[in-house]
Coordinates of all heavy atoms in Angstrom, one line a residue:
N348 N -10.6 18.6 45.0 CA -11.0 18.0 46.3 C -9.9 17.0 46.8 O -9.9 16.6 47.9 CB -12.2 17.0 46.0 CG -13.4 18.0 45.7 OD1 -13.6 19.1 46.2 ND2 -14.3 17.4 44.9
V349 N -9.0 16.7 45.9 CA -7.8 15.8 46.2 C -6.5 16.7 46.2 O -6.3 17.5 45.2 CB -7.8 14.7 45.2 CG1 -6.6 13.8 45.6 CG2 -9.0 13.8 45.4
F350 N -5.6 16.4 47.1 CA -4.4 17.0 47.2 C -3.2 16.0 47.0 O -3.2 15.0 47.6 CB -4.1 17.8 48.5 CG -2.8 18.5 48.6 CD1 -2.6 19.7 48.0 CD2 -1.7 18.0 49.3 CE1 -1.5 20.5 48.1 CE2 -0.6 18.7 49.4 CZ -0.4 20.0 48.8
T351 N -2.4 16.2 45.9 CA -1.3 15.4 45.6 C 0.0 15.9 46.2 O 0.4 17.1 45.9 CB -1.2 15.1 44.1 OG1 -2.4 14.6 43.7 CG2 -0.2 14.2 43.8
W352 N 0.8 15.1 46.9 CA 2.1 15.5 47.4 C 3.2 14.6 46.9 O 3.4 13.6 47.4 CB 2.0 15.3 48.9 CG 3.1 15.9 49.7 CD1 4.0 16.9 49.2 CD2 3.6 15.6 51.0 NE1 5.0 17.2 50.1 CE2 4.8 16.4 51.3 CE3 3.2 14.8 52.0 CZ2 5.4 16.3 52.5 CZ3 3.9 14.7 53.2 CH2 5.0 15.4 53.5
P353 N 3.8 15.2 45.8 CA 5.0 14.4 45.3 C 6.2 14.6 46.0 O 7.1 15.5 45.7 CB 5.1 15.0 43.8 CG 4.5 16.5 44.0 CD 3.5 16.4 45.1
I354 N 6.4 13.8 47.1 CA 7.4 14.1 48.1 C 8.8 14.1 47.5 O 9.7 15.0 47.8 CB 7.3 13.0 49.3 CG1 5.9 12.9 49.8 CG2 8.3 13.3 50.3 CD1 5.7 11.9 50.8
V355 N 9.1 13.1 46.8 CA 10.5 12.9 46.2 C 10.6 13.4 44.8 O 11.7 14.0 44.4 CB 10.9 11.5 46.4 CG1 12.3 11.2 45.9 CG2 10.8 10.9 47.8
S356 N 9.6 13.2 44.0 CA 9.8 13.5 42.6 C 9.7 15.0 42.3 O 10.1 15.4 41.0 CB 8.7 12.7 41.8 OG 7.4 13.1 42.1
T357 N 9.3 15.8 43.1 CA 9.1 17.2 42.8 C 10.5 17.8 42.6 O 11.5 17.4 43.2 CB 8.3 17.9 43.9 OG1 8.1 19.3 43.5 CG2 9.2 18.0 45.2
G358 N 10.5 18.9 41.7 CA 11.8 19.6 41.5 C 12.5 20.0 42.7 O 13.8 20.0 42.7
G359 N 11.7 20.5 43.7 CA 12.4 21.1 44.9 C 13.3 20.1 45.7 O 14.4 20.3 46.2
T360 N 12.8 18.8 45.7 CA 13.5 17.8 46.3 C 14.7 17.3 45.6 O 15.8 17.1 46.2 CB 12.6 16.6 46.6 OG1 11.5 17.0 47.3 CG2 13.4 15.5 47.3
L361 N 14.6 17.4 44.2 CA 15.7 17.1 43.4 C 16.8 18.1 43.6 O 18.0 17.8 43.6 CB 15.3 16.9 42.0 CG 14.4 15.7 41.7 CD1 14.0 15.7 40.2 CD2 15.0 14.4 42.1
V362 N 16.4 19.4 43.6 CA 17.4 20.5 43.8 C 18.1 20.4 45.2 O 19.2 20.6 45.3 CB 16.7 21.8 43.6 CG1 17.6 23.0 44.0 CG2 16.1 22.0 42.2
L363 N 17.2 19.9 46.1 CA 17.8 19.8 47.5 C 18.9 18.7 47.5 O 20.0 18.9 48.1 CB 16.6 19.3 48.5 CG 17.1 19.0 49.9 CD1 17.6 20.2 50.6 CD2 15.9 18.4 50.7
L364 N 18.7 17.6 46.8 CA 19.7 16.6 46.6 C 20.9 17.1 46.0 O 22.1 16.8 46.4 CB 19.1 15.4 45.8 CG 20.1 14.2 45.5 CD1 20.6 13.6 46.8 CD2 19.4 13.2 44.6
A365 N 20.7 17.9 44.9 CA 21.9 18.5 44.2 C 22.6 19.5 45.1 O 23.8 19.7 45.1 CB 21.3 19.2 42.9
G366 N 21.8 20.2 46.0 CA 22.3 21.1 47.0 C 23.3 20.4 48.0 O 24.4 20.9 48.3
V367 N 22.8 19.2 48.4 CA 23.6 18.4 49.3 C 25.0 18.0 48.6 O 26.1 18.1 49.2 CB 22.9 17.1 49.8 CG1 23.9 16.2 50.6 CG2 21.7 17.5 50.6
C368 N 24.9 17.6 47.3 CA 26.1 17.2 46.6 C 27.0 18.5 46.4 O 28.2 18.5 46.5 CB 25.7 16.7 45.2 SG 24.8 15.1 45.3
T369 N 26.3 19.7 46.2 CA 27.0 20.9 46.1 C 27.9 21.2 47.3 O 29.1 21.6 47.2 CB 26.1 22.1 45.7 OG1 25.5 21.8 44.5 CG2 26.8 23.4 45.8
A370 N 27.2 21.0 48.5 CA 27.9 21.3 49.8 C 29.2 20.5 49.8 O 30.2 20.9 50.3 CB 27.0 21.1 50.9
V371 N 29.1 19.2 49.4 CA 30.2 18.3 49.4 C 31.3 18.8 48.5 O 32.5 18.9 48.9 CB 29.9 16.9 49.1 CG1 31.1 16.0 49.1 CG2 28.8 16.3 50.2
V372 N 30.9 19.1 47.2 CA 31.9 19.5 46.3 C 32.6 20.9 46.7 O 33.8 21.1 46.5 CB 31.3 19.7 44.9 CG1 32.2 20.3 43.8 CG2 30.8 18.3 44.4
L373 N 31.8 21.8 47.2 CA 32.4 23.1 47.5 C 33.1 23.1 48.9 O 33.6 24.1 49.4 CB 31.3 24.2 47.5 CG 30.7 24.4 46.1 CD1 29.7 25.6 46.1 CD2 31.6 24.6 45.1
G374 N 32.9 22.0 49.7 CA 33.5 22.0 51.0 C 32.8 22.7 52.1 O 33.4 23.3 53.0
V375 N 31.4 22.7 52.0 CA 30.7 23.4 52.9 C 30.2 22.5 54.1 O 29.7 21.5 53.9 CB 29.3 24.1 52.3 CG1 28.5 24.8 53.3 CG2 29.7 25.0 51.1
H376 N 30.6 22.9 55.3 CA 30.3 22.1 56.5 C 28.8 21.8 56.6 O 28.0 22.8 56.3 CB 31.0 22.5 57.7 CG 30.9 21.6 58.9 ND1 29.8 21.5 59.7 CD2 31.9 20.8 59.4 CE1 30.1 20.6 60.7 NE2 31.4 20.2 60.5
A377 N 28.4 20.7 57.1 CA 26.9 20.4 57.2 C 26.2 21.5 58.0 O 25.2 21.9 57.7 CB 26.7 19.0 57.8
R378 N 26.9 21.8 59.2 CA 26.4 22.8 60.0 C 26.1 24.2 59.3 O 25.0 24.9 59.4 CB 27.1 23.0 61.3 CG 26.5 24.0 62.3 CD 27.3 24.1 63.6 NE 28.7 24.6 63.4 CZ 29.8 23.8 63.4 NH1 29.7 22.5 63.6 NH2 31.0 24.4 63.1
V379 N 27.1 24.6 58.6 CA 27.0 25.8 57.7 C 26.0 25.7 56.7 O 25.2 26.7 56.5 CB 28.4 26.2 57.2 CG1 28.2 27.4 56.3 CG2 29.5 26.4 58.3
A380 N 25.9 24.6 56.1 CA 24.9 24.4 55.0 C 23.5 24.5 55.6 O 22.6 25.1 55.0 CB 25.1 23.0 54.4
V381 N 23.1 23.9 56.7 CA 21.9 24.1 57.4 C 21.6 25.5 57.7 O 20.5 26.0 57.6 CB 21.8 23.1 58.6 CG1 20.6 23.4 59.3 CG2 21.9 21.7 58.2
R382 N 22.6 26.2 58.3 CA 22.4 27.6 58.6 C 22.1 28.5 57.4 O 21.3 29.3 57.5 CB 23.7 28.1 59.3 CG 23.5 29.4 59.9 CD 24.8 30.0 60.5 NE 25.4 29.0 61.4 CZ 26.6 28.6 61.4 NH1 27.5 29.1 60.6 NH2 27.1 27.7 62.4
E383 N 22.7 28.2 56.3 CA 22.5 28.9 55.1 C 21.0 28.6 54.5 O 20.4 29.4 54.0 CB 23.4 28.5 53.9 CG 24.8 29.1 54.2 CD 24.9 30.6 54.1 OE1 24.0 31.2 53.4 OE2 25.7 31.2 54.8
W384 N 20.5 27.4 54.7 CA 19.2 27.0 54.3 C 18.2 27.8 55.1 O 17.3 28.4 54.6 CB 18.9 25.5 54.5 CG 17.7 25.0 53.8 CD1 17.6 24.6 52.5 CD2 16.4 25.0 54.3 NE1 16.2 24.3 52.3 CE2 15.5 24.5 53.4 CE3 15.9 25.3 55.6 CZ2 14.2 24.3 53.6 CZ3 14.5 25.2 55.8 CH2 13.7 24.7 54.9
A385 N 18.4 27.9 56.5 CA 17.6 28.7 57.4 C 17.6 30.1 57.0 O 16.5 30.9 57.0 CB 17.9 28.4 58.8
A386 N 18.7 30.6 56.7 CA 18.9 32.0 56.3 C 18.2 32.3 54.9 O 17.6 33.4 54.8 CB 20.4 32.4 56.1
T387 N 18.2 31.4 54.1 CA 17.4 31.5 52.8 C 15.9 31.7 53.0 O 15.3 32.6 52.4 CB 17.7 30.3 51.9 OG1 19.0 30.2 51.7 CG2 16.9 30.5 50.5
V388 N 15.4 30.8 54.0 CA 14.0 30.9 54.3 C 13.6 32.3 54.9 O 12.6 32.9 54.6 CB 13.6 29.8 55.3 CG1 12.2 29.9 55.8 CG2 13.7 28.4 54.6
H389 N 14.5 32.7 55.8 CA 14.3 34.1 56.4 C 14.4 35.1 55.4 O 13.5 36.0 55.4 CB 15.4 34.3 57.5 CG 15.3 35.6 58.2 ND1 15.8 36.8 57.9 CD2 14.4 36.0 59.2 CE1 15.5 37.8 58.7 NE2 14.6 37.3 59.5
E390 N 15.3 35.1 54.4 CA 15.5 36.1 53.4 C 14.1 36.2 52.5 O 13.8 37.3 52.1 CB 16.7 35.8 52.5 CG 16.9 36.8 51.4 CD 18.0 36.4 50.5 OE1 18.9 35.6 51.0 OE2 18.1 36.7 49.4
L391 N 13.5 35.0 52.3 CA 12.4 34.9 51.4 C 11.1 35.0 52.1 O 10.0 34.7 51.5 CB 12.5 33.6 50.6 CG 13.6 33.5 49.5 CD1 13.5 32.1 48.9 CD2 13.4 34.5 48.5
R392 N 11.0 35.4 53.4 CA 9.8 35.3 54.1 C 8.7 36.1 53.6 O 7.5 35.6 53.5 CB 10.1 35.8 55.6 CG 10.6 37.2 55.8 CD 11.1 37.5 57.3 NE 11.5 38.8 57.5 CZ 12.6 39.4 57.1 NH1 13.4 38.6 56.4 NH2 12.8 40.6 57.3
F393 N 9.0 37.3 53.1 CA 7.9 38.0 52.4 C 7.6 37.5 51.1 O 6.3 37.6 50.7 CB 8.3 39.6 52.4 CG 8.4 40.3 53.7 CD1 9.7 40.8 54.1 CD2 7.3 40.3 54.5 CE1 9.7 41.4 55.3 CE2 7.4 41.0 55.7 CZ 8.6 41.5 56.1
A394 N 8.5 37.0 50.3 CA 8.2 36.4 49.1 C 7.3 35.1 49.3 O 6.4 34.8 48.6 CB 9.4 36.0 48.3
I395 N 7.6 34.4 50.3 CA 6.8 33.2 50.8 C 5.4 33.6 51.1 O 4.4 33.0 50.6 CB 7.5 32.5 51.9 CG1 8.8 31.8 51.5 CG2 6.5 31.4 52.5 CD1 9.5 31.2 52.6
L396 N 5.2 34.7 51.8 CA 3.9 35.2 52.1 C 3.1 35.6 50.9 O 1.9 35.4 50.8 CB 4.0 36.4 53.1 CG 2.7 36.9 53.7 CD1 1.8 36.0 54.3 CD2 3.0 38.1 54.6
T397 N 3.9 36.3 50.0 CA 3.2 36.8 48.7 C 2.7 35.5 47.9 O 1.6 35.5 47.5 CB 4.2 37.6 47.9 OG1 4.5 38.7 48.6 CG2 3.5 38.0 46.6
V398 N 3.6 34.6 47.8 CA 3.3 33.3 46.9 C 2.2 32.6 47.5 O 1.2 32.2 46.8 CB 4.5 32.5 46.8 CG1 4.1 31.1 46.2 CG2 5.6 33.2 46.0
T399 N 2.2 32.4 48.8 CA 1.1 31.6 49.4 C -0.2 32.3 49.4 O -1.3 31.8 49.1 CB 1.5 31.3 51.0 OG1 1.8 32.5 51.6 CG2 2.6 30.3 51.0
S400 N -0.2 33.7 49.6 CA -1.5 34.4 49.6 C -2.1 34.5 48.1 O -3.2 34.3 47.9 CB -1.3 35.9 50.1 OG -0.3 36.5 49.3
V401 N -1.2 34.7 47.1 CA -1.7 34.7 45.7 C -2.2 33.3 45.2 O -3.1 33.3 44.6 CB -0.6 35.3 44.9 CG1 -0.9 35.1 43.4 CG2 -0.3 36.8 45.1
L402 N -1.5 32.2 45.6 CA -1.9 30.9 45.2 C -3.2 30.5 46.0 O -4.1 29.9 45.5 CB -0.9 29.9 45.6 CG 0.0 29.4 44.5 CD1 -0.7 28.7 43.4 CD2 0.8 30.7 43.8

Side-chain angles (χ1 to χ4, degrees):
N348 295 327
V349 176
F350 184 76
T351 302
W352 188 22
I354 305 171
V355 181
S356 60
T357 187
T360 304
L361 296 178
V362 174
L363 178 65
L364 175 61
V367 172
C368 297
T369 294
V371 174
V372 171
L373 299 185
V375 180
H376 192 277
R378 184 176 60 256
V379 176
V381 171
R382 190 184 304 133
E383 287 295 331
W384 193 90
T387 303
V388 174
H389 182 265
E390 178 185 339
L391 290 175
R392 62 192 184 281
F393 291 118
I395 291 172
L396 183 57
T397 299
V398 170
T399 52
S400 62
V401 171
L402 261 295

